[in-house]
Amino acid sequence: MSPLKSLDASGTSRLTVLGALILAVACLYWARIVFIPIAAAMLATFLLSPVVALLRRIGLHRVAAVAIVLVLTVLLAAGLGWGLFSQLTTLADDLPQYRATISRKIADVQRVGRGGTLQKVEETAQDVMAQIERVHPSATKPLPVVVSSPNPLWQIPRIVEPVGGAVFVLVLVVFMLVQQRELRARVVRLFGSDRLAETTRALDEASARISSYLLTQTALNTSFGVTIAIGLFVLGLPFALTWGVFGALLRFIPYAGAWVAASIPVLVSLAVFDGWTKPLLIVGLFAVSEAIIAFVLEPLFFARSAGVSSIALLISVAFWTWLWGPVGLALAIPLTVWLVVFSHTVKGLEFIGILVDDDPGLDPHVIFYQRVLAGDDQEAAELVHEAVKSGSDLAAYDSILVPALARARHDHEVGQLPTAEYAHVIATTRAVLDRAITAGPTETPEAPGTEVPERVVVAGCPVRDEADRVVLTSLNRILEDDGYAVQIAPAGALVAETIAAVVAMNPAAIVVSSVEESGRARHFVKRLRAACPETSIVVGCWGLQDSRKLRADLCAAGGDDVVTTLGQARSDLLRLTAAPERAGAEDGEPDAPPETSRVGVGLAMSARGIS
């Protein structure tokens, strides 16, 4: 197939998926009276399935287990509803006792507004109404209003619709719990039996994510309700337990539920308490509790359990609220989790998982490279700093800096990265590395008269440009704690000049640095082997994935080993330059004098048949 035909086919496929999504959203909106109970029943099924499974393990039949769980759930919901209704009825009966307190609050508000902005607005409004009355006297004449009681028959649809929806949800939950095996088989058949393993894995992942979300959300909301109930009880607000239960239930509505739950206790406190101190304390109690859970606990537990990024959660809440109203607001997160899981299974919906999943799907070195190209050097440096803090310098360099340089070299060679931007990537990487060295632990000065131990000299040979030199600088940073010093030859010099500089160093080993290896590395190795026949040569081809053929070619040219990461280079250098004093120290023997390091290198070369 030609590239143009392939491009047309890809574009047609994307348009088909887009059209299918628009049609699906339209169906979800126009048929919401059917889809909302189905979604609520699915959510309840996910919530009750673990309890049914627990009863099944005891030995009960599935139908009996489902019946017991549903009866207990209905009794719990009915008891909770009756308790809340009785508490609210009692509160409504007690409100006339607080009429004097409410009047004082209104008077306080009026006193604050007297002489201020509120009074000016009121006076302006009165002047405007007076002018209108003078011009059109009949416009303000009140019209007689006759209020007639509505026919009770007109109230039947308002009662039947929510009751019928609740009964429909209950029946659906019963069938979904009883016929869970059959439903799973139908889903597998829908996606095709040839994708049995993939579909089963998607179902298990969706169930695990939603169950984990519900468990985490329930635990957080319960802690919120308990905190509110205890705080209101200490402040002396009546029916503190009722407001705590309301807070726990309403907080299942993302973002807005906690503040809706706070409005009623605050209004009640204005009627109950004299003064403004305790109402303000109640506002502070809700604000602090919600802030701790929303900004401290939820980022630690909730986003991980849902598997959806925070920004995607906010957008999904807005979308489902627009689509289904308050019910969509309550069901937004479970529906989004379900959609994310199956977007990885259904062909054509992969972009949903990419946009919504909590994993950005990019390696750290790609993010570092992208930030450098965008000119955001500060964020690129922070990425490396975080990697160093969570792991080590070696892990950060091998996972971020070296692969980023390799990618930049590749893009530069194929013409995707201009020379100026390529130089900027190298300069930024060097600056990040220098900052890491500066921020690292400083060496304690030696006491006067103490002999400074001699460092093992390793010669670094950059094959092409400054990118190769930056990798050698990283290697020197890693080897400092091992007692090594990497002396780096100038980058971009002639081969003869580089070899002369290496011979003058009299190194224990040589590291040839080549980001994205080219034929020049083989030429370097041949010339170095001829000039230094008894010195170990490690060839670093940084960023290469498959180096088997390359390893054979470079070893045939004279290299002792070929490595692709700084960790491998460090291990090879420690092995190839192992001096007798190091081996003696490991065996508990006294250290040999520093001068024997060259002898150790010669013995190591002789053992390998090189000298």
Side-chain angles (χ1 to χ4, degrees):
M1 182 181 294
S2 65
L4 291 178
K5 291 183 178 180
S6 176
L7 186 61
D8 292 340
S10 176
T12 304
S13 176
R14 292 177 180 176
L15 289 177
T16 303
V17 172
L18 181 60
L21 284 177
I22 295 175
L23 181 61
V25 171
C27 292
L28 289 174
Y29 178 77
W30 293 111
R32 59 186 180 274
I33 193 172
V34 176
F35 285 112
I36 288 177
I38 294 176
M42 291 176 61
L43 179 61
T45 302
F46 278 115
L47 182 62
L48 298 178
S49 290
V51 184
V52 174
L54 180 62
L55 295 179
R56 290 275 292 158
R57 293 191 195 99
I58 298 176
L60 291 178
H61 190 269
R62 175 173 289 276
V63 176
V66 171
I68 292 174
V69 170
L70 287 178
V71 169
L72 292 177
T73 303
V74 171
L75 290 177
L76 178 62
L80 185 62
W82 178 82
L84 292 177
F85 178 77
S86 63
Q87 293 284 306
L88 291 177
T89 303
T90 305
L91 175 64
D93 294 337
D94 293 343
L95 279 180
Q97 303 176 9
Y98 308 117
R99 185 175 301 168
T101 307
I102 297 174
S103 300
R104 283 194 295 270
K105 292 290 193 311
I106 295 175
D108 291 341
V109 173
Q110 290 177 345
R111 267 197 310 272
V112 171
R114 189 173 299 140
T117 305
L118 185 62
Q119 184 178 359
K120 294 178 181 178
V121 172
E122 184 178 354
E123 292 175 353
T124 304
Q126 290 176 353
D127 293 341
V128 172
M129 293 301 298
Q131 293 179 7
I132 294 176
E133 188 175 355
R134 286 195 298 270
V135 176
H136 303 285
S138 61
T140 59
K141 187 179 295 183
L143 297 176
V145 178
V146 179
V147 179
S148 59
S149 59
N151 193 329
L153 294 177
W154 291 100
Q155 304 298 324
I156 293 179
R158 297 183 179 181
I159 300 174
V160 170
E161 184 175 347
V163 173
V167 173
F168 183 40
V169 170
L170 184 61
V171 173
L172 278 177
V173 170
V174 172
F175 278 96
M176 287 182 178
L177 289 174
V178 173
Q179 299 183 357
Q180 194 171 9
R181 183 187 306 166
E182 290 78 2
L183 288 175
R184 188 182 295 111
R186 293 180 187 277
V187 173
V188 171
R189 183 180 178 185
L190 178 65
F191 286 100
S193 57
D194 55 335
R195 306 179 65 184
L196 176 61
E198 190 176 0
T199 305
T200 303
R201 186 165 54 251
L203 289 173
D204 292 342
E205 184 180 354
S207 177
R209 282 197 184 190
I210 294 177
S211 298
S212 179
Y213 157 73
L214 291 174
L215 179 62
T216 305
Q217 185 76 338
T218 302
L220 291 176
N221 292 351
T222 302
S223 63
F224 177 79
V226 171
T227 304
I228 295 301
I230 295 175
L232 295 180
F233 176 77
V234 172
L235 291 174
L237 186 70
F239 311 109
L241 181 60
T242 301
W243 311 132
V245 173
F246 264 120
L249 293 178
L250 290 176
R251 205 180 178 280
F252 277 97
I253 300 176
Y255 303 107
W259 305 113
V260 174
S263 60
I264 301 178
V266 171
L267 293 176
V268 172
S269 68
L270 292 175
V272 172
F273 299 122
D274 288 326
W276 297 89
T277 303
K278 288 190 176 181
L280 291 177
L281 288 176
I282 292 175
V283 173
L285 173 65
F286 275 91
V288 172
S289 302
E290 175 64 14
I292 292 175
I293 293 179
F295 299 109
V296 178
L297 297 180
E298 282 187 350
L300 291 176
F301 304 105
F302 176 66
R304 293 180 184 176
S305 64
V308 181
S309 67
S310 301
I311 297 177
L313 284 179
L314 183 60
I315 296 175
S316 67
V317 165
F319 170 77
W320 289 108
T321 304
W322 166 79
L323 196 65
W324 286 350
V327 178
L329 180 63
L331 300 178
I333 297 177
L335 291 174
T336 305
V337 172
W338 182 87
L339 185 62
V340 168
V341 172
F342 279 91
S343 67
H344 298 301
T345 304
V346 180
K347 187 177 181 181
L349 298 181
E350 297 87 354
F351 71 96
I352 296 178
I354 295 174
L355 295 175
V356 178
D357 208 332
D358 58 348
D359 183 10
L362 287 178
D363 293 330
H365 76 274
V366 179
I367 300 176
F368 174 85
Y369 181 43
Q370 191 272 334
R371 288 291 83 204
V372 173
L373 291 179
D376 193 350
D377 299 349
Q378 179 65 29
E379 186 173 345
E382 291 176 357
L383 181 66
V384 177
H385 181 64
E386 291 174 0
V388 171
K389 287 176 60 178
S390 61
S392 62
D393 292 359
L394 178 59
Y397 300 158
D398 270 339
S399 63
I400 299 179
L401 295 185
V402 174
L405 288 173
R407 193 180 185 97
R409 170 72 65 79
H410 175 268
D411 291 348
H412 179 60
E413 289 180 348
V414 299
Q416 294 183 2
L417 189 65
T419 303
E421 294 186 9
Y422 176 57
H424 173 68
V425 172
I426 296 175
T428 302
T429 306
R430 185 191 301 111
V432 169
L433 183 62
D434 293 341
R435 186 181 303 176
I437 294 174
T438 304
T442 57
E443 296 183 0
T444 57
E446 299 290 341
T450 303
E451 182 179 356
V452 179
E454 180 184 357
R455 291 186 175 273
V456 179
V457 177
V458 176
C461 300
V463 172
R464 292 184 58 181
D465 54 22
E466 287 295 326
D468 300 327
R469 184 179 177 86
V470 170
V471 180
L472 290 173
T473 304
S474 304
L475 181 62
N476 181 46
R477 163 73 171 163
I478 295 168
L479 292 174
E480 283 180 348
D481 294 336
D482 298 314
Y484 286 73
V486 180
Q487 298 183 5
I488 307 172
L494 297 176
V495 177
E497 295 176 351
T498 303
I499 292 176
V502 169
V503 172
M505 296 176 192
N506 189 24
I510 302 173
V511 177
V512 177
S513 175
S514 176
V515 176
E516 286 290 318
E517 191 275 336
S518 62
R520 191 176 181 186
R522 297 182 181 88
H523 180 62
F524 248 94
V525 173
K526 288 181 180 179
R527 296 284 299 272
L528 285 171
R529 175 55 65 202
C532 307
E534 296 184 356
T535 306
S536 300
I537 300 177
V538 177
V539 186
C541 296
W542 320 114
L544 289 183
Q545 300 298 326
D546 187 8
S547 59
R548 286 176 295 181
K549 183 178 182 301
L550 179 64
R551 183 186 302 274
D553 293 343
L554 291 174
C555 288
D560 291 281
D561 198 2
V562 177
V563 297
T564 58
T565 65
L566 294 176
Q568 295 174 357
R570 176 180 177 272
S571 299
D572 272 10
L573 289 172
L574 293 179
R575 174 177 56 85
L576 294 173
T577 61
E581 70 273 12
R582 298 178 183 274
E586 294 177 358
D587 296 336
E589 298 176 2
D591 292 343
E595 290 77 6
T596 59
S597 60
R598 296 293 183 271
V599 179
V601 173
L603 291 176
M605 299 300 104
S606 300
R608 294 186 293 109
I610 295 178
S611 59

